[in-house]
Amino acid sequence: MKFANYYQPDRVKNASFEVIDQHHTYNPTYTNRLLRSEFLAHGVELNNPDVNLGRAIAFHLLHDGQAIANLPAPKYLIATENPIICPLNRDPAYLAQFNAFFTWNRDLLHLPNAVPLLIPNQIHYEATPHFDERPIFSCIINANKAFPPGIPGDLYRERVAVIRWYETHARADFALYGLGWGKPSPAFDRMEKIKRRAQRIASQLVGYKPFPSYAGEIEDKSVAYRKTKFAYCYENVADLPDYITEKIFDCFFAGCVPVYWGSQTIGERIPSECFIDRRQFASTADVHRYLKSIDAKTYVRYQEHIADFLKSPAAMAFDTTRYVSIIRTRILSDLGQ
């Protein structure tokens, strides 16, 4: 048996491979567990580094860029995190040190050690509720997070703009779910921090609700999506090529029609008939008017297009099995297996 290190921030004692991810509510460890299982089938045991202390290491595999000094080759990087959050994932000098790095970012594929792969999902199709079986008109399911001001393509702020529009203009047609919305949004400058603190005190003492549409946390997004007609499905950042995360697939699996804003290459990967492209509208008000115009017959056509896509080879390009196969095949080939 050979041993390899799998580096994932804050994970020790093989927490990367536990069934329940204690670090990320909506990030099941199925992908990591399948990756470990596939390597085990080829005689390589993948562990968090603390588990491998004292063992000879066949290779090092990092999940997203991390500043780990003097890490010997062979070493590999899975660069799936948004580079605004993890800048090392698009730093050419950093990427050059790896035998190979795996990335969705086509802007980096000219680098000699780049290997393309898409962010993985467990692709599947199942029958889902129809238009009249969905009592919630629209929703957002995200955590209450924010970037500092000045980030190009910041869609955290656009999510808040959607929330505020519905709370002002169409409260009955919207529900907000996720972590942290019982508190004000994160603040960055001094005046914002003072205002946030005052709102936080008011929420604790007098029942002030920073987001009146907030319907609570939710453990399983599909429960809400299966009750909802339309979901505002925004990535964290706009206009990153092929940065297509689980957000739109979570909607698809539940038969909920997404209003998508994110990767500018979405139409090359997913048929436009499967989603509503937020870029085609000037405002949330315009989106809402369009959503209100959609009847049951039109809605079922969206669902049919979604079903066709999920059953197609194009969808399987996003499947976890493909992701694992690309990583396993490249590394084992380099090792001569």
Side-chain angles (χ1 to χ4, degrees):
M1 179 67 68
K2 296 179 180 178
F3 298 94
N5 282 339
Y6 186 73
Y7 297 80
Q8 195 171 15
D10 303 320
R11 270 60 161 195
V12 296
K13 298 181 180 178
N14 276 354
S16 293
F17 311 108
E18 292 177 355
V19 174
I20 303 298
D21 189 342
Q22 302 296 332
H23 297 261
H24 195 311
T25 303
Y26 302 133
N27 187 31
T29 59
Y30 174 82
T31 300
N32 286 352
R33 288 184 283 119
L34 181 61
L35 185 67
R36 188 171 192 264
S37 174
E38 287 294 304
F39 273 112
L40 274 173
H42 289 80
V44 180
E45 184 174 300
L46 199 60
N47 296 309
N48 289 143
D50 62 301
V51 177
N52 279 335
L53 286 176
R55 293 169 170 168
I57 302 302
F59 63 87
H60 303 267
L61 178 58
L62 280 65
H63 190 113
D64 292 318
Q66 301 158 58
I68 302 174
N70 303 316
L71 192 64
K75 54 186 175 181
Y76 300 86
L77 171 69
I78 304 171
T80 52
E81 180 59 273
N82 180 329
I84 303 300
I85 295 172
C86 185
L88 290 176
N89 279 356
R90 66 174 177 192
D91 181 340
Y94 176 78
L95 299 173
Q97 69 180 290
F98 293 96
N99 294 67
F101 72 95
F102 306 91
T103 180
W104 46 263
N105 192 341
R106 65 174 70 178
D107 289 346
L108 298 173
L109 294 182
H110 65 284
L111 297 175
N113 58 337
V115 179
L117 91 172
L118 298 173
I119 296 170
N121 291 266
Q122 289 177 257
I123 301 299
H124 65 279
Y125 169 76
E126 60 185 86
T128 58
H130 298 296
F131 184 83
D132 294 330
E133 300 171 310
R134 296 173 178 268
I136 302 169
F137 183 75
S138 67
C139 79
I140 283 178
I141 305 178
N142 283 109
N144 183 10
K145 297 181 180 180
F147 287 126
I151 298 296
D154 181 356
L155 294 183
Y156 283 134
R157 291 178 181 269
E158 294 295 340
R159 288 182 198 142
V160 173
V162 171
I163 295 164
R164 294 308 190 197
W165 186 90
Y166 273 96
E167 289 177 344
T168 301
H169 300 285
R171 176 65 189 84
D173 287 332
F174 181 77
L176 172 63
Y177 301 95
L179 299 174
W181 297 103
K183 303 176 183 179
S185 292
F188 297 95
D189 65 33
R190 182 172 178 273
M191 293 307 297
E192 281 184 342
K193 290 179 179 179
I194 292 172
K195 181 180 178 182
R196 186 181 190 277
R197 179 59 179 161
Q199 292 176 336
R200 187 78 180 102
I201 292 171
S203 68
Q204 293 169 332
L205 297 181
V206 297
Y208 167 73
K209 294 184 177 181
F211 296 91
S213 60
Y214 185 40
E217 298 179 9
I218 188 166
E219 292 186 6
D220 185 348
K221 287 188 278 188
S222 69
V223 172
Y225 281 147
R226 289 176 70 91
K227 297 177 182 178
T228 304
K229 292 179 173 69
F230 306 100
Y232 284 85
C233 173
Y234 293 5
E235 305 288 6
N236 297 338
V237 175
D239 300 331
L240 295 177
D242 286 353
Y243 181 67
I244 302 167
T245 71
E246 81 289 343
K247 294 176 178 64
I248 194 168
F249 286 95
D250 289 338
C251 295
F252 286 167
F253 298 149
C256 178
V257 177
V259 179
Y260 181 83
W261 194 355
S263 174
Q264 77 273 40
T265 60
I266 183 74
E268 299 176 30
R269 295 292 185 179
I270 299 176
S272 59
E273 297 84 3
C274 296
F275 61 93
I276 296 160
D277 191 339
R278 173 59 178 81
R279 297 172 300 174
Q280 297 180 358
F281 299 86
S283 66
T284 300
D286 289 344
V287 176
H288 181 68
R289 280 191 288 271
Y290 175 70
L291 299 183
K292 282 292 188 179
S293 74
I294 294 175
D295 58 16
K297 185 176 180 180
T298 304
Y299 193 85
V300 76
R301 285 201 293 271
Y302 274 109
Q303 290 186 313
E304 288 170 350
H305 288 304
I306 290 169
D308 289 343
F309 169 68
L310 290 177
K311 298 173 185 177
S312 73
M316 292 306 296
F318 291 91
D319 191 64
T320 301
T321 57
R322 180 174 176 82
Y323 167 98
V324 167
S325 176
I326 289 170
I327 296 168
R328 182 203 66 214
T329 300
R330 172 56 190 263
I331 295 176
L332 292 183
S333 175
D334 285 356
L335 296 179
Q337 292 185 232

